[in-house]
């Protein structure tokens, strides 16, 4: 955040040191020079992105301690934090660089190509582009990590499910119909797919509020199972409505159990099976 403060302070100094007309006429030049000169220092954001997973893992581990959890929960009630937890603040530096890139691109768009400001802005854009790409990838990764944490906090009566990999990421979510052997029928459940876990709830919908844990499948070890189809033998006692949608089903399991589920249509099934295929491919690579 120190680099951001340097840029902000220099820009405010410039805007406050000249007349209004002068500020408007030379703003692209000054902003371009500031970003160009600060660009080498922006690599600190890349370092932050590269260490983000380690930081989140430390926070997650620390939160398991009751005294730490008590402090973090108490901070959420403070008006100045606006309900944001520590993970939300940790992602803010990652969001900074893409905003700088967007600022430069907007200024280039509104600057005459024959003016000296244009060349300076183009140079600043070139320097910051590579860093922005790294930060964009890091931002997506960080958002998926944060979303996984947020969802897990919404799942009530959930046992402690420590990540079987370095850090847990959100992958996909939605309603699937689970085949229940006991009743030989389909039961709508809401499923969450993470990078190491498939978890489902008693409810069939999720609007961001609390849901109740039903069960889960662990995907983070070599005993996991994923099939993009349903073996007819496993549903031979099922009611006719299950057999007619057999093509929409798939199976996921671990060393303890497996779950047979059905998507609402082919497109939704494809989203789930693609996501699961990627998880199992990455796990074995």
């Amino acid at each position: 955040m120190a680099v951001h403060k340097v840029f902000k302070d220099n820009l405010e100094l410039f805007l406050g040191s000249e007349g209004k007309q002068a500020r408007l006429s030379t703003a692209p030049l000054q902003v371009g020079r500031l970003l160009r000169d600060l660009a080498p220092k922006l690599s600190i954001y890349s370092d932050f992105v590269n260490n983000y997973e380690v930081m989140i893992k430390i926070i997650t581990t620390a939160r398991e301690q009751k005294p730490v959890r008590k402090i973090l929960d108490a901070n959420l009630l403070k008006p100045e934090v606006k309900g944001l937890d520590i993970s939300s603040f940790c992602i803010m530096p990652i969001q900074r660089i893409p905003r700088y890139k967007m600022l430069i691109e907007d200024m280039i768009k509104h600057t005459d190509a024959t003016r000296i400001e244009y060349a300076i802005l183009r140079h600043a854009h070139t320097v910051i582009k590579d860093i922005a790409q790294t930060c964009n990838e890091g931002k997506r990764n960080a958002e998926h990590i944060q979303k996984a944490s947020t969802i897990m906090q919404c799942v009530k009566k959930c046992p402690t499910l420590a990540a079987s990999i370095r850090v847990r990421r959100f992958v996909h979510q939605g309603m699937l119909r689970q085949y229940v052997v006991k009743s030989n029928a389909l039961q709508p459940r809401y499923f969450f797919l993470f990078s190491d876990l498939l978890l489902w709830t008693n409810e069939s919908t999720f609007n961001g509020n609390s849901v109740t844990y039903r069960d889960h499948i662990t995907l983070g070890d070599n005993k996991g199972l994923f099939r993009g189809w349903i073996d007819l033998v496993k549903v031979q006692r099922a009611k006719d409505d299950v057999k007619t949608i057999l093509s929409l089903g798939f199976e996921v399991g671990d060393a303890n159990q497996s779950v047979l589920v059905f998507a609402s249509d082919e497109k939704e099934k494809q989203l789930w099976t693609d996501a699961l295929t990627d998880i199992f491919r990455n796990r074995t690579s």
Side-chain angles (χ1 to χ4, degrees):
M1 298 301 283
V3 176
H4 162 64
K5 189 174 186 303
V6 170
F7 172 72
K8 180 174 177 290
D9 290 348
N10 277 274
L11 186 58
E12 287 178 347
L13 179 63
F14 157 70
L15 293 175
S17 63
E18 301 183 25
K20 181 178 180 180
Q21 192 60 40
R23 293 199 301 271
L24 291 175
S25 63
T26 62
L29 178 62
Q30 298 299 329
V31 172
R33 283 176 175 172
L34 280 173
L35 287 171
R36 180 196 60 190
D37 295 342
L38 283 174
K41 299 181 179 65
L42 294 178
S43 60
I44 191 173
Y45 286 99
S46 296
D47 295 336
F48 186 90
V49 168
N50 292 335
N51 288 283
Y52 182 83
E53 287 189 18
V54 177
M55 177 175 59
I56 293 299
K57 183 65 176 178
I58 292 172
I59 292 173
T60 302
T61 302
R63 190 177 175 82
E64 294 173 359
Q65 306 299 317
K66 188 174 180 179
V68 176
R69 188 164 61 249
K70 184 177 179 180
I71 293 173
L72 294 177
D73 290 343
N75 285 337
L76 284 174
L77 302 177
K78 295 180 179 180
E80 57 267 30
V81 304
K82 300 179 180 179
L84 299 176
D85 63 11
I86 189 170
S87 298
S88 299
F89 284 101
C90 289
I91 200 175
M92 288 182 179
I94 297 177
Q95 297 169 332
R96 186 71 59 185
I97 292 294
R99 292 174 184 172
Y100 285 157
K101 180 173 176 285
M102 290 172 62
L103 170 64
I104 295 177
E105 288 172 345
D106 192 52
M107 296 187 74
I108 289 174
K109 183 178 176 182
H110 294 89
T111 301
D112 190 333
T114 62
R115 297 175 62 90
I116 187 174
E117 298 95 314
Y118 185 85
I120 292 176
L121 286 169
R122 292 293 301 180
H123 176 71
H125 181 263
T126 300
V127 174
I128 204 172
K129 185 170 62 174
D130 290 341
I131 299 174
Q133 182 176 349
T134 299
C135 287
N136 274 330
E137 294 171 358
K139 179 173 175 286
R140 285 191 293 270
N141 185 47
E143 288 171 344
H144 290 161
I145 293 172
Q146 183 183 8
K147 187 169 183 178
S149 175
T150 300
I151 290 173
M152 292 301 292
Q153 291 176 35
C154 292
V155 181
K156 306 304 179 186
K157 299 183 179 181
C158 183
T160 301
L161 300 173
S164 59
I165 53 179
R166 187 166 68 171
V167 66
R168 178 172 292 143
R169 299 176 184 81
F170 167 81
V171 178
H172 192 56
Q173 69 184 67
M175 192 279 290
L176 293 170
R177 288 169 291 176
Q178 178 189 3
Y179 174 62
V180 181
V181 176
K182 188 175 182 180
S183 61
N184 292 317
L186 299 178
Q187 180 66 50
R189 307 284 188 196
Y190 204 85
F191 282 74
F192 297 101
L193 178 62
F194 304 104
S195 50
D196 68 325
L197 197 69
L198 177 66
L199 181 149
W200 60 100
T201 69
N202 287 334
E203 296 80 4
S204 60
T205 60
F206 175 66
N207 58 8
N209 296 322
S210 63
V211 285
T212 306
Y213 169 85
R214 181 75 181 185
D215 212 337
H216 75 278
I217 297 289
T218 300
L219 307 177
D221 57 46
N222 292 325
K223 297 179 181 179
L225 163 74
F226 165 58
R227 293 194 181 102
W229 67 91
I230 298 281
D231 189 337
L232 182 60
V233 174
K234 294 187 177 182
V235 293
Q236 61 182 349
R237 296 179 58 194
K239 297 177 181 178
D240 290 340
D241 61 336
V242 174
K243 296 178 181 178
T244 57
I245 59 169
L246 198 63
S247 64
L248 299 178
F250 56 94
E251 179 180 5
V252 185
D254 58 18
N256 300 313
Q257 64 171 324
S258 66
V259 59
L260 307 178
V261 291
F262 294 83
S264 57
D265 54 43
E266 289 290 348
K267 182 179 179 181
E268 184 62 23
K269 178 186 176 180
Q270 193 67 50
L271 290 173
W272 280 99
T273 55
D274 285 351
L276 283 159
T277 299
D278 286 343
I279 289 174
F280 278 80
R281 182 187 297 118
N282 292 335
R283 188 194 62 181
T284 57
S285 60

